[in-house]
Amino acid sequence: MLLRTLFRSNPSQEHCAMVLFGRNCSEFVRPPPIRTSTRQQTTQTPDTDQLQHLQNELSKSKFSYLHCHVPEIVEVCQRDMLVHENFISEEEEEILFKEVEPKLKRILRYEFDHWDDAIHGYREVERSDWSEQSQPILQRVRRLAFPPGVPQLHLVHVLDLAKEGWIKPHVDSVKFAGNTIAGLSLLSPSVMRLVHNDNRGWVADVLLKPRSLYIMRDAMRYDYTHEILKAEESKFRGEEVPRNRRVSVICRNEPPVATTD
Ligand code: OGA
Ligand code: MN
């Protein structure tokens, strides 16, 4: 049972966060600590040539999964939001999918009803007892995402997003997960949008292809909301990214012991 903090900005610039406890009840709590960058936040628009140059450089580089107009965010993404395309092979994708599909199917319906939930059109399970075939795949994820000795959540979170489903902007609960979120994407491509908590004009889009692994950590994990765009909005650099059913397999680490929330 994972907790997500929905993050919303209101006109008075105060933030309202809702932590969802399971699926049936919710309760308001204080928002997560926002570690605002000491860097001056600018609303100044960089000139068009500069932007074009930035985009061209990104699309040619190993950060071709990133689309962003704000140089400051590019810097944060290049450090704290890494995407490894083709991290798993098609065969490995099938191994994982075949393992989780029967468990997901036991949940007969995708959840569409809860207006206050962070996710629309989903079902999810958490697993710790993986098959011998899947274990080495998850080990590779864990080894890359978490330095040795970092206590990790034992349960792996599997989120099945329907073709019509989407994930609203939220920050994962700081109470229940640590600084790093590592997610494998199976089946459908999607676009993950990252928006700065305090400056909602600071936006970056990240293309998550099937079989890619993203590792989101630190500033990206705490100071930015993340969301998965719905089918109608699923575009990357102006090109449609056709959404279909998407399954993500997510590893997280333990929160720090003395979290004050
Ligand atoms: C979540 C989440 C992202 C993903 O479950 O909190 O943000 O890749 N998932 O499915
Ligand atoms: Mn999340």
Side-chain angles (χ1 to χ4, degrees):
M1 189 160 60
L2 278 156
L3 308 189
R4 300 178 185 90
T5 304
L6 272 189
F7 187 98
R8 305 186 182 109
S9 304
N10 70 21
S12 65
Q13 293 303 309
E14 279 173 14
H15 300 296
C16 162
M18 179 182 284
V19 170
L20 305 170
F21 289 85
R23 301 288 156 245
N24 302 322
C25 64
S26 58
E27 141 179 340
F28 287 95
V29 296
R30 286 201 301 130
I34 295 165
R35 284 147 233 218
T36 313
S37 160
T38 47
R39 197 184 293 277
Q40 196 193 354
Q41 294 179 4
T42 169
T43 48
Q44 205 183 314
T45 321
D47 85 43
T48 327
D49 285 350
Q50 269 176 347
L51 277 182
Q52 198 54 52
H53 180 70
L54 183 64
Q55 285 309 319
N56 290 345
E57 288 303 303
L58 282 176
S59 53
K60 283 187 300 196
S61 73
K62 65 174 179 165
F63 300 102
S64 58
Y65 55 81
L66 181 64
H67 179 72
C68 181
H69 295 285
V70 185
E72 285 88 342
I73 307 193
V74 173
E75 222 176 87
V76 180
C77 282
Q78 290 179 341
R79 195 189 59 220
D80 291 347
M81 181 67 191
L82 299 177
V83 176
H84 301 263
E85 288 181 357
N86 292 309
F87 185 77
I88 56 172
S89 63
E90 285 184 22
E91 200 189 353
E92 290 171 320
E93 179 184 32
E94 203 176 315
I95 290 171
L96 290 175
F97 180 65
K98 280 198 171 148
E99 180 161 355
V100 298
E101 175 68 337
K103 318 286 185 276
L104 291 166
K105 267 188 162 165
R106 278 189 213 149
I107 307 164
L108 297 178
R109 289 174 50 247
Y110 286 95
E111 186 62 75
F112 278 98
D113 304 332
H114 289 285
W115 66 271
D116 60 349
D117 217 336
I119 311 189
H120 192 77
Y122 73 101
R123 44 193 186 180
E124 65 189 338
V125 292
E126 289 182 295
R127 280 185 68 69
S128 56
D129 51 336
W130 291 86
S131 69
E132 270 183 29
Q133 278 185 306
S134 295
Q135 278 176 30
I137 308 171
L138 295 172
Q139 266 317 318
R140 267 170 48 215
V141 172
R142 291 184 183 282
R143 263 205 307 273
L144 188 65
F146 308 105
V150 167
Q152 298 171 32
L153 296 185
H154 195 52
L155 289 168
V156 177
H157 177 205
V158 179
L159 181 71
D160 178 357
L161 203 58
K163 181 176 180 179
E164 307 76 23
W166 73 91
I167 305 182
K168 299 175 192 169
H170 69 281
V171 176
D172 283 18
S173 165
V174 295
K175 249 188 186 170
F176 293 89
N179 72 330
T180 303
I181 301 165
L184 282 172
S185 299
L186 314 183
L187 309 183
S188 170
S190 63
V191 178
M192 181 178 274
R193 178 160 292 167
L194 302 155
V195 185
H196 194 277
N197 292 343
D198 294 338
N199 187 343
R200 303 302 283 170
W202 280 20
V203 181
D205 283 344
V206 172
L207 179 63
L208 298 177
K209 293 186 183 163
R211 297 182 296 287
S212 66
L213 170 73
Y214 66 82
I215 301 177
M216 180 197 301
R217 57 164 64 109
D218 299 330
M220 246 334 146
R221 181 260 186 270
Y222 294 113
D223 298 347
Y224 291 72
T225 57
H226 55 278
E227 63 193 287
I228 295 282
L229 301 183
K230 57 175 88 165
E232 305 90 276
E233 293 164 9
S234 187
K235 289 201 176 86
F236 185 75
R237 299 205 177 116
E239 300 267 313
E240 195 196 340
V241 175
R243 269 288 314 282
N244 217 317
R245 179 183 175 196
R246 169 181 184 269
V247 172
S248 50
V249 176
I250 306 166
C251 298
R252 294 177 171 91
N253 57 337
E254 300 253 6
V257 182
T259 301
T260 49
D261 207 38

